[in-house]
Amino acid sequence: MLLSAALFIIGVIGVMVRRNIIIIFMSIELILNAVNINLVAFSAQLQNNVGQVFAIFVVAVAAAEAAVGLGIILAFYRNKETVNIDEMNLMKW
Amino acid sequence: MIDQFVIPLLKIVVVLNATLLGVTYMVLLERKVIAWAQSRLGPMRVGPYGILQPIADAVKLVIKEDITPVRADKWVFTAAPIISMVPALIVYAVIPFGPTIHLFGRPVSLYIADVNVGLLYIVSVASVGVYGIILAGYASNSKYPLLASLRASAQLISYEVAVTLTLVSVILMARSLSMVSIVNAQYNAGVWFAFVQPVAFVIFFIGGLAETNRAPFDLPEAEQELTGGFHTEYSGMRFALFFLAEYANMIVVSSVATTLFFGGWLRPFPNVAALHVLDVIPSWMWFLIKSFVFLYIFIWVRATLPRYRYDQLMRIGWKLLIPLAIANLVVTGIVKVLIA
Amino acid sequence: MGQAIAFYTLAAFILGFAVLVVSTKDTVHSVLFLVLDFLFVAALYVLLGAPFLAAIQVLVYAGGIVVLYLFVVMLVNLKRPPEAHQDPHRRTKLGFGLAVAVLLELGAIATYGMTRTGSPLVVPGTNGPLPGNTEQVGWLLYTSYLIPFEIASMLLLVAMIGAIVLAKREL
């Protein structure tokens, strides 16, 4: 549990602090992994495999998120030549 | 104690050494076969008929100067050959070379581990092998290796889809992911899966050629276009590691093909008692013979076929093999349901 | 005992690599540490008795998602590092503050959970009639969780089409 929490925190710090959007995406993956560890740990603790089933769903969602997210990054990079989120203010006005 | 630690350790040592030896002699075999195909003699100088050539090669590669380009990413550059070698070797953990036999009055299984998720393990470990190539290309900080590594990894990922789909249809037949159970399922079915799943086997083999970057899909190493491919900047032992990893992967593909489609350690017609004479040859020998045939076909294909163009390669992968594999899977499922 | 040692070693590796992922300057190195992190998480799954999920983790994350990341990092070959650009509106301190807030929140939940040791939550095992981890997970997926499973596959399909639309230059 503590491991999962710590990993989650590192992920959150990553999201908050870094400016490179690719690294932010990777931090999100870390957070999802923390959730998965938690699910699997509980599933082992309770002798109930439903946790693993949910972890599989999380993996599927993470894959979908990564694909779309990286697609957005690529499209954005083509237009603005940057991966810095501070410069991603197209929707601001 | 002995059963828990000593025997597995011994098995690991034997398998690793046999693999490395096999890999070095694969190189000699390939040179010889291609030479014969082109009516040459091949290596003849070192030892009778060049039989000691691999040793000479190894010595040469070890004592060569080890160059790291100045602008390379040092850590990644060093790690890349290791990353490509390790997955190629740890796959052997789940490949069954034979059933449980009795050796010195003690039951010894001729595989290191029979994992519940064996096949999935192989697929996932193989997918990690891509990193060696990508990183080698990236870390060299040079344009040809980068291009080659992008090509190689795109190729690997594309063909992995088709190969994995064919594996799923084998799993449907065997109702298990464990390599040993798959062989046993073929024993119980009384027929090798290659005859039940010919389409899957052909797709698997073509995909295997592509995944090991072999001719006719050896675009990542196309000398005419990319100088030396992703390992252009590598020299000495590091280059040798890439080289060995490629051949180790070839052996992996042949042994997986043997296990999944050609009954692993089973003799031909495992259920026909009349052919009991064939049991003279021990089971692991059958496995090795079948794998050797595949390795020979690998070399034969290289000596015969010209290289594909890159767009052709991608078209074959995505527009031919993957739809075929999906169709095969669906048909297998339907037939299974209808029979059951 | 051996299990505990294995768990703490793996945990240390996982956290260490996670820190490196977030803190490394070079994006490619960061991606590499992410792969190592995922591999160790997979090892942890094996330890926790979920070998099927471990294989999925390596296959999907290490073999698929991270390769995608690496591709994007190499395609987006940066001429200027993104961190060089200084934005006056940037509030790094606030980011750390929020992270600490989340940490405190989690800590509060943890301590609350530890003080409340009344009735341990026991859910009857619904592991199905089959032996083996893979079979059990598959059985659950295709019986109790069939509809979520189909929805997940639809989501993947939508994501696939979306990614193609986004990445294609012109349709």
Side-chain angles (χ1 to χ4, degrees):
Chain A
M1 285 326 92
L2 281 179
L3 166 72
S4 160
L7 194 60
F8 193 91
I9 294 298
I10 292 171
V12 172
I13 293 176
V15 172
M16 295 292 178
V17 174
R18 293 304 297 265
R19 283 192 209 96
N20 188 336
I21 187 156
I22 298 175
I23 295 194
I24 290 177
F25 264 95
M26 289 197 288
S27 305
I28 294 174
E29 301 289 348
L30 279 183
I31 294 176
L32 288 173
N33 249 281
V35 174
N36 267 354
I37 291 177
N38 222 337
L39 284 171
V40 175
F42 271 120
S43 133
Q45 194 81 44
L46 300 174
Q47 297 293 311
N48 187 334
N49 276 330
V50 177
Q52 295 180 24
V53 173
F54 274 99
I56 289 176
F57 287 136
V58 172
V59 170
V61 172
E65 172 256 329
V68 175
L70 291 173
I72 293 174
I73 293 176
L74 269 187
F76 189 83
Y77 178 75
R78 265 197 218 110
N79 291 329
K80 293 206 75 178
E81 296 257 315
T82 178
V83 286
N84 187 333
I85 47 157
D86 287 339
E87 295 171 27
M88 292 189 184
N89 45 15
L90 275 178
M91 303 262 269
K92 239 185 185 173
W93 69 94
Chain B
M1 189 64 196
I2 288 181
D3 280 325
Q4 220 180 347
F5 292 107
V6 179
I7 289 182
L9 220 65
L10 275 179
K11 278 196 270 190
I12 291 170
V13 169
V14 168
V15 168
L16 279 188
N17 282 311
T19 310
L20 290 174
L21 195 73
V23 165
T24 43
Y25 272 90
M26 249 329 272
V27 181
L28 178 67
L29 181 76
E30 166 150 43
R31 290 176 65 178
K32 277 287 188 191
V33 171
I34 287 182
W36 292 330
Q38 299 164 345
S39 11
R40 291 184 285 120
L41 283 174
M44 288 295 274
R45 300 280 172 146
V46 194
Y49 294 95
I51 202 93
L52 296 176
Q53 184 70 34
I55 297 165
D57 283 343
V59 170
K60 184 196 84 174
L61 284 166
V62 169
I63 60 177
K64 252 190 165 179
E65 188 189 357
D66 190 20
I67 302 169
T68 309
V70 182
R71 298 198 50 201
D73 190 332
K74 293 249 166 14
W75 283 100
V76 181
F77 190 81
T78 316
I82 304 169
I83 295 175
S84 64
M85 191 70 196
V86 169
L89 288 180
I90 60 175
V91 169
Y92 290 99
V94 294
I95 290 176
F97 298 95
T100 308
I101 56 164
H102 287 274
L103 212 63
F104 306 120
R106 186 183 285 280
V108 176
S109 51
L110 289 181
Y111 38 83
I112 296 174
D114 177 24
V115 194
N116 189 4
V117 289
L119 203 50
L120 214 55
Y121 169 85
I122 291 179
V123 177
S124 44
V125 168
S127 70
V128 174
V130 190
Y131 285 106
I133 296 174
I134 303 182
L135 294 176
Y138 168 80
S140 301
N141 206 348
S142 160
K143 65 183 164 190
Y144 290 126
L146 187 64
L147 282 174
S149 77
L150 276 175
R151 270 188 183 187
S153 38
Q155 175 178 334
L156 248 68
I157 295 168
S158 316
Y159 278 81
E160 215 167 67
V161 181
V163 167
T164 312
L165 282 170
T166 63
L167 296 185
V168 176
S169 45
V170 172
I171 295 167
L172 270 185
M173 297 297 299
R175 308 175 127 243
S176 172
L177 285 168
S178 141
M179 300 294 270
V180 177
S181 315
I182 289 174
V183 175
N184 285 332
Q186 295 181 63
Y187 180 79
N188 293 334
V191 61
W192 293 349
F193 283 160
F195 301 113
V196 194
Q197 292 277 358
V199 184
F201 169 65
V202 171
I203 296 171
F204 178 85
F205 194 73
I206 297 174
L209 281 176
E211 285 211 47
T212 45
N213 291 333
R214 294 287 303 177
F217 304 113
D218 58 346
L219 284 151
E221 292 162 40
E223 295 88 353
Q224 294 86 345
E225 305 163 25
L226 292 168
T227 60
F230 56 85
H231 42 52
T232 305
E233 302 288 348
Y234 282 86
S235 58
M237 205 52 216
R238 293 186 189 163
F239 168 74
L241 275 182
F242 277 119
F243 210 65
L244 294 182
E246 185 185 323
Y247 283 91
N249 276 326
M250 276 166 66
I251 301 184
V252 167
V253 171
S254 348
S255 21
V256 171
T258 308
T259 312
L260 296 186
F261 295 103
F262 282 86
W265 66 75
L266 304 174
R267 65 183 162 85
F269 309 105
N271 284 354
V272 183
L275 286 169
H276 214 67
V277 235
L278 290 172
D279 281 340
V280 179
I281 303 172
S283 50
W284 53 271
M285 206 57 201
W286 277 116
F287 181 86
L288 293 185
I289 292 170
K290 291 176 199 167
S291 306
F292 182 80
V293 170
F294 278 113
L295 289 173
Y296 184 80
I297 295 174
F298 264 100
I299 301 170
W300 187 10
V301 167
R302 171 169 171 195
T304 313
L305 295 177
R307 188 180 290 140
Y308 276 105
R309 224 169 48 222
Y310 197 65
D311 58 324
Q312 290 172 328
L313 170 106
M314 280 296 164
R315 195 178 314 135
I316 294 172
W318 286 102
K319 294 193 178 164
L320 185 69
L321 292 187
I322 292 179
L324 252 179
I326 293 175
N328 184 50
L329 179 59
V330 171
V331 169
T332 310
I334 291 172
V335 170
K336 273 292 252 193
V337 170
L338 286 183
I339 289 175
Chain C
M1 190 58 209
Q3 245 199 340
I5 295 171
F7 174 79
Y8 285 115
T9 323
L10 286 176
F13 272 115
I14 290 171
L15 292 182
F17 283 126
V19 169
L20 284 172
V21 169
V22 176
S23 62
T24 314
K25 280 270 178 288
D26 189 334
T27 318
V28 173
H29 289 181
S30 186
V31 177
L32 283 186
F33 288 128
L34 191 68
V35 180
L36 285 172
D37 203 58
F38 285 160
L39 292 182
F40 277 105
V41 173
L44 187 69
Y45 288 164
V46 174
L47 190 68
L48 288 172
F52 179 70
L53 198 60
I56 292 287
Q57 163 97 1
V58 176
L59 187 61
V60 176
Y61 270 116
I65 295 179
V66 184
V67 172
L68 208 61
Y69 275 101
L70 212 49
F71 259 96
V72 171
V73 170
M74 280 156 78
L75 284 175
V76 181
N77 194 6
L78 286 177
K79 283 155 202 84
R80 59 194 172 120
E83 313 286 339
H85 173 85
Q86 283 299 329
D87 188 350
H89 303 299
R90 183 83 198 165
R91 296 188 186 91
T92 307
K93 292 231 173 56
L94 185 66
F96 266 114
L98 281 174
V100 169
V102 177
L103 178 66
L104 287 178
E105 199 176 332
L106 278 177
I109 294 171
T111 44
Y112 177 70
M114 280 183 198
T115 50
R116 238 183 87 249
T117 48
S119 59
L121 187 67
V122 176
V123 182
T126 51
N127 281 351
L130 296 160
N133 177 264
T134 315
E135 287 88 342
Q136 286 169 9
V137 173
W139 189 79
L140 277 175
L141 262 183
Y142 284 102
T143 52
S144 323
Y145 295 91
L146 184 60
I147 291 170
F149 181 72
E150 294 297 333
I151 293 171
S153 53
M154 279 313 290
L155 176 72
L156 280 176
L157 180 66
V158 171
M160 194 162 78
I161 296 169
I164 293 170
V165 170
L166 279 169
K168 218 165 154 56
R169 270 161 217 272
E170 70 274 349
L171 288 173

